[in-house]
Every structure is written in structure tokens, then in C-alpha cells.
Amino acid sequence: MSKRLQKNIALVCMLCLLCAALSGYAAMDMDAPRGQSEEVFYEKVPVFVDGTLQYSGYMIEGVAYIPIRSFCGVLDLGMVVSWDPETSMMTGTAEGVVLTAGQGDAYITVNDRCFYMEKGVVNYQDKLLVSLRVACSAFGIDVDWDAETGAIGLTMADMQLCPGGSGYYDEEDLYWLSRIISAEAKNQSMEGKIGVGNVVLNRVRSGSFPNTVYDVVFDSAHGVQFSPVSLGTIYDEPNEESIAAAKICLEGCDLVGDSLYFVNPEVGVSDWFAESRTFVASVGDHDFYA
């Protein structure tokens, strides 16, 4: 190969790298949540902290993401970040703070509280990325996006340590909500689990049902409401993701609107729902109705 040709090839490669740096990256997201695999465009965006440019994030289909290591730097707490290759889990620790995120998980955990992210934890170029807005919400950090420049600004004035889960969640509500979620949707996606939890909490808030999680789960005013109660599986130990789903629901995450009912159309009698209730969504194996 001639030296001129080698130089030309090198020049083309350099131009390609420059264009990628300026405009973003298109990549096959092989670690997309819930087994999805599709081309996703990663647009690099500047992240300002109290007016000073400090980090780079990524805009992924309209959602701002940031590497976990960078977010731990944003907190400015001297966090120690570690990676466990066996569990594909990254953990940031400091006094009063434990933040964990697992590759492909649909949520991050902060001080034993769980926060849902629609696109989940993203693995990109050997970096774990988390939703910037979700992560900031756990610490009261204000997030602002400048549509003209594409820059993201973080305001740290109201930042505070995230209260721990043991003092935030009602113990009995978490206990029974995690068990009904696990019994009804243990083998479904995180979204399917959250949907079941949403229905239970919607009933608690409705005047047509009892007003506690326990009483909703064991409600028998018109016959047993949930089959796991009669089958006894309501007493089985919930799996880890079902506990996380219960916490996410108690954080206020809502995926099925005002739904008060769900049914698996493959095994349940769904004609009554279709004829008398308003269809809201299909999530996993269940159809949800208001």
C-alpha cells in the first residue's frame, strides 16, 4: 500500500471520529432493557453544575443520561465507586449514601429506596448510564434543559441526602404490596409488576375499596379479589424484583393510570371487564381496566 493511500485512509478515519464527537453516536444497544435490541442514537450533551461546565452526558431518545461515576462526582460527597463483575453491579458509597445500579435493571437504588427509569440502566461504551433527572430527584437536585443549546444545568442549592427506605416506606404496606406483586406477576417484566402494584394502590385511594394495602389484598366483599389469597401463594416470600417494584409504586410511579382491575385474558374471564370497564393498557400478561 502506498504512503499516499495510507495517509488518505488515516485522514478519512480522523474525520469520521471528529464527526462522531461533534454529532453523537449511533449504536446497536445490545443491553437495552427487557431484551430489546435496536439502533439508538447517543447525542453527547454538556452538563453544567451551578453554572460551571463539569461533565458530559448523553441524550438518548429525548432522555438525558449520565455515567454513574460522573453522577457520583456531581454529588461532591467524596463517593467511592466500585464495580462487581459477577453481578454487573456498580455501587457508589459515601457517608450517609449508598447508590447502586445493575446493568439492564429498570431502576436505581439509593439508600434502599428504588427509583424507576423508563429506559433502565444503559451500558454504553463500558459505562453504566443512569437517567440524570431520576438520579437527581433522589437528592432534590434541580435539573434544567436549555432547548436552544442542548445544555443541561444542575442547581445544587436544595440538594439533600436521600432519606433511607426503612423510614420512608410504611413497613406493612411494603410487606403486603411486594407479596401480591410477586404472587400475581413474579415472572413478568418490571413494568408488569409495577402495573399490579398500581392497581392495589389505586384501590386504596378509591372510595369503592378498603383504604389499606392489607385490606385491599384480602378484600372479600364480592368474593376473593386476588386468586393468590385463596391459593395461599400470597404468603410466599417475594423475589427481589417484586420488592423493588413495590418500592417503585410507593415512590409514586404510575404506569397504568386509574386502573382498578387487571386480568390475564388467556386464563381469566375478561368479557365482564371489556363490557363494563374502560380498557387502559396491556402490560405483560395482563390487561388493565379502570
Side-chain angles (χ1 to χ4, degrees), residues 201-211 260:
L201 294 182
N202 283 346
R203 289 189 177 195
V204 170
R205 289 187 289 266
S206 170
S208 301
F209 296 90
N211 59 7
L260 294 170

Side-chain angles (χ1 to χ4, degrees), residues 106-108 113-117 169 174 177 181 190-191 194 198 201 241-255:
Y107 61 96
I108 59 171
R113 290 172 61 183
C114 296
F115 299 89
Y116 176 74
M117 297 182 297
Y169 304 119
L174 179 59
L177 189 61
I181 289 173
M190 176 57 81
E191 288 75 16
I194 294 171
N198 287 162
L201 294 182
E241 194 169 78
S242 294
I243 296 173
K247 292 180 177 180
I248 288 168
C249 291
L250 292 171
E251 292 288 345
C253 177
D254 170 24
L255 298 183

Side-chain angles (χ1 to χ4, degrees), residues 58-213:
Y58 298 91
M59 193 66 73
I60 307 174
E61 297 179 342
V63 179
Y65 269 70
I66 191 171
I68 295 176
R69 288 186 182 275
S70 297
F71 181 72
C72 288
V74 168
L75 296 177
D76 195 24
L77 297 172
M79 297 185 75
V80 177
V81 183
S82 61
W83 165 255
D84 186 339
E86 293 187 3
T87 61
S88 297
M89 184 79 66
M90 185 164 279
T91 302
T93 58
E95 185 176 355
V97 179
V98 178
L99 186 157
T100 61
Q103 179 175 307
D105 283 350
Y107 61 96
I108 59 171
T109 300
V110 182
N111 292 348
D112 205 32
R113 290 172 61 183
C114 296
F115 299 89
Y116 176 74
M117 297 182 297
E118 183 180 356
K119 300 181 185 304
V121 179
V122 176
N123 182 350
Y124 178 62
Q125 294 186 339
D126 294 327
K127 295 189 290 285
L128 286 191
L129 311 181
V130 296
S131 165
L132 184 56
R133 192 172 295 276
V134 171
C136 285
S137 70
F139 294 89
I141 300 171
D142 184 62
V143 182
D144 182 60
W145 177 62
D146 190 321
E148 292 185 5
T149 65
I152 297 171
L154 307 181
T155 303
M156 309 298 289
D158 295 327
M159 176 189 160
Q160 59 183 357
L161 296 184
C162 180
S166 60
Y168 183 82
Y169 304 119
D170 180 276
E171 185 177 350
E172 184 177 50
D173 286 351
L174 179 59
Y175 183 92
W176 290 112
L177 189 61
S178 62
R179 276 159 175 73
I180 191 63
I181 289 173
S182 188
E184 289 281 7
K186 178 185 294 184
N187 298 320
Q188 294 193 37
S189 67
M190 176 57 81
E191 288 75 16
K193 292 179 175 66
I194 294 171
V196 169
N198 287 162
V199 165
V200 173
L201 294 182
N202 283 346
R203 289 189 177 195
V204 170
R205 289 187 289 266
S206 170
S208 301
F209 296 90
N211 59 7
T212 70
V213 171

Side-chain angles (χ1 to χ4, degrees), residues 16-26 41-44 58 124:
C16 289
L17 289 173
L18 179 60
C19 289
L22 291 174
S23 60
Y25 303 84
F41 188 75
Y42 295 76
E43 179 187 0
K44 212 165 186 178
Y58 298 91
Y124 178 62

